[in-house]
Amino acid sequence: MPRLKLQTLTEQMFYTLLCLKNECCGIDILDKVPEMTHGRVKVGSGTLYTLLEQFLEEEMIRETKTEGRKRSYILTKKGKERLSQEYERIYAQILDYRSIFGEEDAYER
């Protein structure tokens, strides 16, 4: 069975939406994601602009302004709800891990 579009967010999707809590443009997102993840997650420009189009189509973000080729976006209520759902899904995985291995094991890396 194929995965439903945007049912589960990839790391790039999750962090792109996190960046859009406050208005920003694509270049800002390309800089912010590696910064907030300490370099663990990077988003390529091709991937980013594809994601932004998908998020616009799904009304998870909206365009706020255009200056030449530079476009700025912000998270919508629908986008925030989807981001919260993903947070809850990830948190449930953490709780499942801890129930199996114990909380101490999570910190022994």
Side-chain angles (χ1 to χ4, degrees), residues 96-106:
D96 292 342
Y97 178 92
R98 286 180 177 169
S99 75
I100 300 299
F101 289 103
E103 193 162 333
E104 312 84 47
D105 187 63

Side-chain angles (χ1 to χ4, degrees), residues 71-107:
R71 296 169 189 255
S72 295
Y73 307 91
I74 197 159
L75 197 61
T76 63
K77 181 179 179 188
K78 183 177 179 180
K80 186 175 185 308
E81 288 169 355
R82 182 64 200 91
L83 193 56
S84 293
Q85 289 169 350
E86 186 66 11
Y87 168 82
E88 293 298 328
R89 185 186 73 79
I90 293 167
Y91 188 68
Q93 289 177 332
I94 292 167
L95 294 177
D96 292 342
Y97 178 92
R98 286 180 177 169
S99 75
I100 300 299
F101 289 103
E103 193 162 333
E104 312 84 47
D105 187 63
Y107 301 105

Side-chain angles (χ1 to χ4, degrees), residues 49-89:
Y49 292 105
T50 299
L51 291 178
L52 292 173
E53 283 302 314
Q54 289 176 353
F55 292 151
L56 282 168
E57 287 174 15
E58 296 295 322
E59 299 178 344
M60 294 168 66
I61 64 172
R62 68 178 172 81
E63 193 172 309
T64 54
K65 64 183 171 187
T66 303
E67 297 170 357
R69 293 181 58 196
K70 181 179 175 182
R71 296 169 189 255
S72 295
Y73 307 91
I74 197 159
L75 197 61
T76 63
K77 181 179 179 188
K78 183 177 179 180
K80 186 175 185 308
E81 288 169 355
R82 182 64 200 91
L83 193 56
S84 293
Q85 289 169 350
E86 186 66 11
Y87 168 82
E88 293 298 328
R89 185 186 73 79

